[in-house]
Amino acid sequence: MSDTLKQLADVLDQRRHADPDSSYVASLHHKGLNKILEKVGEEATEAIIAAKDATNGGADERQALVAETADLWFHSLVMLSHLGIDSQAVLDELAGRFGISGLDEKAARDTQ
């Protein structure tokens, strides 16, 4: 796991049970899974819009896409944390896909 991802996972774990009035992460956990999923959806939509803007945009639009993607990843990590799923499991899943055609991998999932 990258140092940044490990640090973020540690912070998310620490703040999960913190005072919701003093921690954004704790407030999300306190509001429950539906609120967290709402945030993931909002951030996904914002990332899509930023990607469209970055298509013909310059450095500012590309940086906005990076920022929106960071927000999406962050909220996705909060979601995993809320469900008790270690982010390493996602990295392991991605690592397991190396050397497998994306089309073959998708076809295998569709038959399950």
Side-chain angles (χ1 to χ4, degrees):
M1 183 181 308
S2 78
D3 288 342
T4 301
L5 188 56
K6 174 71 173 125
Q7 286 177 316
L8 183 54
D10 289 345
V11 169
L12 291 177
D13 187 48
Q14 292 167 5
R15 294 190 182 159
R16 181 174 181 180
H17 300 292
D19 178 4
D21 293 329
S22 66
S23 166
Y24 175 68
V25 170
S27 73
L28 286 174
H29 284 292
H30 182 75
K31 292 173 185 173
L33 182 61
N34 285 343
K35 182 60 177 179
I36 295 167
L37 296 177
E38 180 183 309
K39 289 301 297 178
V40 171
E42 287 175 17
E43 298 304 341
T45 299
E46 290 173 7
I48 289 166
I49 293 167
K52 295 289 277 180
D53 292 344
T55 301
N56 296 313
D60 288 345
E61 289 78 14
R62 296 178 82 71
Q63 180 54 44
L65 174 56
V66 168
E68 293 300 344
T69 301
D71 289 346
L72 175 58
W73 288 10
F74 174 83
H75 287 89
S76 295
L77 290 170
V78 173
M79 174 188 65
L80 291 171
S81 171
H82 190 81
L83 295 169
I85 300 171
D86 191 318
S87 57
Q88 185 62 48
V90 176
L91 296 175
D92 293 346
E93 175 67 23
L94 290 170
R97 295 180 184 185
F98 280 107
I100 300 172
S101 159
L103 295 174
D104 291 341
E105 188 277 331
K106 183 177 180 335
R109 277 188 286 141
D110 290 342
T111 61
Q112 295 175 356

